[in-house]
Amino acid sequence: MPCAPDTLFIDHIPGETRIAALKDDRLIRLFIDRIDRPFAPQGLRAGDIIKGRVVNVVPSLQAAFIDIGDSQNGFLPVNATYQDDISRAVHEGQALLVQVKQTASAKKGAVLSCKIDLTSNDCVLTPQRPGINISRKFKDADKRAIFKQALNGLLPADCGLIVRTSAEAQEPRHIVAQATALNERWQTLTQQAAPAPVLLERQSSFWEEVWAQLDTTNLTEVMVEGLAAFQDVTPFYQDAHLYDGKLPLFDAEGITAQIDEALHTHVPFASGAHLVIEETEALVAVDINTAQHAHGRDLEASHLALNIQALTALNEQINLRNLSGQILIDFIALKDKANRSKLEQSAKTILNDQRTTFHGLTRLGLGEVSRTRQGQPLSTLCTDLSARYNNLLRQLSKGGLITRVRMGSELIQRWQNAPPVWLEDRIGYLPPLKEDRTLPSQGYSLETHNDRQE
């Protein structure tokens, strides 16, 4: 289901844009966009189409690794090709059109596919997968036949088309026009002569992607720090306001503190009980802790109610933290079979969206959930080197709010490799990197001008 905030706070510095979605003053989602990629100024997204180059074929994995111009090679599994053996599907050095199906994480490259989909409002072109497939959800069988006839012979023999349910409200000529435009896009892509790796088509902009995930029905305020982001957001929300306060916007509105809370393993909720959320390499482990909350004669009923209450809190955290993969929930034990059935039904209702599936209880009573990966988890986005560096720049850009910054070796290297020259426009000078003898190992710090503090 779309995220339904009532307020958006947006902050931007050259290199990073953050959008905080709040409901009743509580942070429910955080979207982050960074310039961290060689040829993709906004980073790779699901749906992007790239001409890559095969750098390694691994028969034991039945997969290949593709240079897509990102910091990590993309991963192409054999089931995303048109062969049943990876050695027959691709060879090293081959230039290859691929589409991003899942974006990269901190330790894994993007998941790719040779089975490319080109989408429009009401249909999807499927190159190398021929056939006209019209949604079975059409209520009017005659219209399905009319569309089939109108589209017959329109596309090349090796291209197929999926006509979505939404097309039923359209005239056939509109669907023909969309299909024709999709085919023209495909022909243009296949004729690109640029050497690999090269980004050929971006599926959507950061703003389009975010807006697609928002239910703006109850949106009452959009506050923006940074002129570039203000100009970007106004086509989507004309009543946005430009922030000019002395403190960074996220600090002034208490959002920074809420982000910090979202990085903690301990999550209290109103009843006094709490969740413990641990992210590991293999899975996300969730423990529901009563903290002596459940009491009274009907302990079983109290445990059931607490488990259901915890599911609501967990659903919020899954979305806010962007947790994915396998999630195991250690519920408070229930002895009654009927209560376990109620818990399973509640979990299927609460943990239910396009990305999330509740698979039921294991024999040990653990709740088993899977969630498809889409971007990096909040724990990575808010703690990696880019986050620390951008937070430093954000503080510096306010001018004089901090007077001395001690820098570790990673931040020093980042500063030396790409000095933020835009800071000079913001505060009138570029803070110099100076040797700091009080730091035995790092040895350097930045110093800002005290006289700029107001």
Side-chain angles (χ1 to χ4, degrees), residues 47 107 186 206 221 257 297 321 402 405-406 413:
K107 297 184 179 180
W186 174 243
F206 171 64
E221 182 184 15
R297 292 183 178 179
R321 299 176 186 227
I402 50 179
V405 186
R406 295 181 174 184
Q413 185 176 9

mmCIF file of all heavy atoms in Angstrom, residues 47 107 186 206 221 257 297 321 402 405-406 413:
data_model
loop_
_atom_site.group_PDB
_atom_site.id
_atom_site.type_symbol
_atom_site.label_atom_id
_atom_site.label_comp_id
_atom_site.label_asym_id
_atom_site.label_seq_id
_atom_site.Cartn_x
_atom_site.Cartn_y
_atom_site.Cartn_z
ATOM 1 N N GLY A 47 14.463 -1.093 -13.070
ATOM 2 C CA GLY A 47 13.875 -0.728 -14.347
ATOM 3 C C GLY A 47 14.841 -0.065 -15.304
ATOM 4 O O GLY A 47 14.577 -0.007 -16.504
ATOM 5 N N LYS A 107 26.700 -4.855 -0.032
ATOM 6 C CA LYS A 107 27.645 -5.940 -0.286
ATOM 7 C C LYS A 107 27.327 -6.740 -1.552
ATOM 8 O O LYS A 107 28.106 -7.620 -1.924
ATOM 9 C CB LYS A 107 27.688 -6.883 0.927
ATOM 10 C CG LYS A 107 28.202 -6.204 2.189
ATOM 11 C CD LYS A 107 28.312 -7.180 3.335
ATOM 12 C CE LYS A 107 28.856 -6.502 4.577
ATOM 13 N NZ LYS A 107 28.977 -7.430 5.725
ATOM 14 N N TRP A 186 12.148 0.630 -28.109
ATOM 15 C CA TRP A 186 12.968 -0.582 -28.163
ATOM 16 C C TRP A 186 13.933 -0.549 -29.347
ATOM 17 O O TRP A 186 15.108 -0.893 -29.213
ATOM 18 C CB TRP A 186 12.072 -1.812 -28.227
ATOM 19 C CG TRP A 186 12.826 -3.095 -28.429
ATOM 20 C CD1 TRP A 186 12.744 -3.945 -29.491
ATOM 21 C CD2 TRP A 186 13.793 -3.666 -27.539
ATOM 22 N NE1 TRP A 186 13.591 -5.003 -29.325
ATOM 23 C CE2 TRP A 186 14.257 -4.867 -28.137
ATOM 24 C CE3 TRP A 186 14.310 -3.294 -26.300
ATOM 25 C CZ2 TRP A 186 15.203 -5.685 -27.541
ATOM 26 C CZ3 TRP A 186 15.272 -4.112 -25.693
ATOM 27 C CH2 TRP A 186 15.703 -5.285 -26.309
ATOM 28 N N PHE A 206 14.159 10.164 -9.524
ATOM 29 C CA PHE A 206 14.011 9.981 -8.078
ATOM 30 C C PHE A 206 12.670 10.530 -7.611
ATOM 31 O O PHE A 206 11.948 9.884 -6.849
ATOM 32 C CB PHE A 206 15.168 10.691 -7.365
ATOM 33 C CG PHE A 206 15.014 10.759 -5.864
ATOM 34 C CD1 PHE A 206 15.003 9.613 -5.096
ATOM 35 C CD2 PHE A 206 14.889 11.988 -5.227
ATOM 36 C CE1 PHE A 206 14.870 9.674 -3.720
ATOM 37 C CE2 PHE A 206 14.767 12.065 -3.853
ATOM 38 C CZ PHE A 206 14.756 10.905 -3.097
ATOM 39 N N GLU A 221 1.532 19.758 4.123
ATOM 40 C CA GLU A 221 2.699 20.643 4.153
ATOM 41 C C GLU A 221 3.900 19.961 3.521
ATOM 42 O O GLU A 221 4.155 18.775 3.776
ATOM 43 C CB GLU A 221 3.049 21.041 5.590
ATOM 44 C CG GLU A 221 4.232 21.994 5.687
ATOM 45 C CD GLU A 221 4.630 22.311 7.114
ATOM 46 O OE1 GLU A 221 4.190 21.601 8.049
ATOM 47 O OE2 GLU A 221 5.403 23.274 7.306
ATOM 48 N N ALA A 257 16.681 13.092 15.142
ATOM 49 C CA ALA A 257 16.530 12.249 16.334
ATOM 50 C C ALA A 257 15.698 11.010 16.030
ATOM 51 O O ALA A 257 16.002 9.908 16.517
ATOM 52 C CB ALA A 257 15.885 13.058 17.455
ATOM 53 N N ARG A 297 -5.640 -12.897 34.725
ATOM 54 C CA ARG A 297 -6.064 -14.291 34.714
ATOM 55 C C ARG A 297 -5.897 -14.928 33.332
ATOM 56 O O ARG A 297 -5.431 -16.045 33.207
ATOM 57 C CB ARG A 297 -7.529 -14.378 35.141
ATOM 58 C CG ARG A 297 -7.762 -14.006 36.604
ATOM 59 C CD ARG A 297 -9.216 -14.180 36.982
ATOM 60 N NE ARG A 297 -9.441 -13.878 38.386
ATOM 61 C CZ ARG A 297 -10.631 -13.941 38.971
ATOM 62 N NH1 ARG A 297 -11.703 -14.284 38.250
ATOM 63 N NH2 ARG A 297 -10.757 -13.644 40.258
ATOM 64 N N ARG A 321 12.572 1.102 8.062
ATOM 65 C CA ARG A 321 13.960 0.632 7.973
ATOM 66 C C ARG A 321 14.265 -0.023 6.628
ATOM 67 O O ARG A 321 15.410 -0.361 6.352
ATOM 68 C CB ARG A 321 14.251 -0.361 9.103
ATOM 69 C CG ARG A 321 14.084 0.237 10.495
ATOM 70 C CD ARG A 321 14.296 -0.805 11.575
ATOM 71 N NE ARG A 321 14.010 -0.275 12.888
ATOM 72 C CZ ARG A 321 14.781 -0.418 13.972
ATOM 73 N NH1 ARG A 321 15.910 -1.113 13.877
ATOM 74 N NH2 ARG A 321 14.449 0.102 15.130
ATOM 75 N N ILE A 402 29.517 24.594 13.658
ATOM 76 C CA ILE A 402 30.586 23.813 14.275
ATOM 77 C C ILE A 402 31.896 24.507 13.923
ATOM 78 O O ILE A 402 32.059 25.040 12.838
ATOM 79 C CB ILE A 402 30.583 22.347 13.775
ATOM 80 C CG1 ILE A 402 30.522 22.291 12.243
ATOM 81 C CG2 ILE A 402 29.428 21.577 14.362
ATOM 82 C CD1 ILE A 402 30.553 20.880 11.699
ATOM 83 N N VAL A 405 36.282 20.261 13.320
ATOM 84 C CA VAL A 405 35.830 18.917 12.969
ATOM 85 C C VAL A 405 37.037 18.001 12.865
ATOM 86 O O VAL A 405 37.906 18.204 12.010
ATOM 87 C CB VAL A 405 35.080 18.907 11.617
ATOM 88 C CG1 VAL A 405 34.496 17.536 11.353
ATOM 89 C CG2 VAL A 405 34.006 19.972 11.590
ATOM 90 N N ARG A 406 37.114 17.017 13.735
ATOM 91 C CA ARG A 406 38.184 16.023 13.646
ATOM 92 C C ARG A 406 37.770 14.952 12.654
ATOM 93 O O ARG A 406 36.667 14.417 12.727
ATOM 94 C CB ARG A 406 38.459 15.419 15.018
ATOM 95 C CG ARG A 406 39.002 16.430 16.023
ATOM 96 C CD ARG A 406 39.282 15.792 17.360
ATOM 97 N NE ARG A 406 39.931 16.735 18.265
ATOM 98 C CZ ARG A 406 40.353 16.401 19.481
ATOM 99 N NH1 ARG A 406 40.198 15.160 19.932
ATOM 100 N NH2 ARG A 406 40.933 17.305 20.246
ATOM 101 N N GLN A 413 40.269 11.196 3.183
ATOM 102 C CA GLN A 413 40.463 10.750 1.803
ATOM 103 C C GLN A 413 39.311 11.223 0.916
ATOM 104 O O GLN A 413 39.528 11.683 -0.209
ATOM 105 C CB GLN A 413 40.573 9.228 1.753
ATOM 106 C CG GLN A 413 40.907 8.689 0.368
ATOM 107 C CD GLN A 413 41.093 7.180 0.374
ATOM 108 O OE1 GLN A 413 40.814 6.514 1.353
ATOM 109 N NE2 GLN A 413 41.564 6.639 -0.731
#
